[in-house]
Amino acid sequence: MYVTAAILSVLLTLITISAGVPKVRLKGASIDTLQSHMGLSPGAVRLIGLAEIAAAGLVVGLFWQPLGIAAATGFAVLTVGAAVFHGRAGDFANPDTRANAIAPMVFCLLSVAAAVTLTLAM
């Protein structure tokens, strides 16, 4: 179970850092979309980026499981919020933006799996 937790934690840590850093810096192609299409302010985009970077605590959870479980749970909540925002923007109905809307749901499932495997590995 520990190997599965390690793989999920490292994978999600890489994903959260690569998604969070551009948002904190307000640089990248997705930033314009978040601001124009989703209606988020620059401050909200930065806050989301900081929350994604904080989810990198998953990898620390390999050494101290409570932090990893908290990071995975927090990231799951963040991705549920992202799915709600995509739903409000109509991204699920649009074939061009559907992949952007489904991605947070996949990351939510991965983060729940990471939290469960970290819990079982204790």
Side-chain angles (χ1 to χ4, degrees), residues 6-81:
I7 291 169
L8 287 171
S9 296
V10 169
L11 176 68
L12 283 170
T13 296
L14 294 172
I15 289 169
T16 58
I17 289 174
S18 66
V21 169
K23 290 178 182 127
V24 169
R25 296 179 63 216
L26 293 177
K27 296 191 182 215
S30 65
I31 304 308
D32 293 333
T33 303
L34 288 171
Q35 291 179 344
S36 63
H37 179 64
M38 302 297 258
L40 297 173
S41 68
V45 173
R46 276 199 171 114
L47 184 62
I48 292 167
L50 288 172
E52 288 175 343
I53 292 171
L58 277 158
V59 79
V60 177
L62 296 174
F63 308 102
W64 190 47
Q65 279 92 352
L67 181 61
I69 294 166
T73 304
F75 189 59
V77 170
L78 180 71
T79 56
V80 167

Side-chain angles (χ1 to χ4, degrees), residues 8-9 12 58 68-70 72-73 110-121:
L8 287 171
S9 296
L12 283 170
L58 277 158
I69 294 166
T73 304
L110 288 174
S111 63
V112 168
V116 168
T117 56
L118 282 169
T119 302
L120 294 175

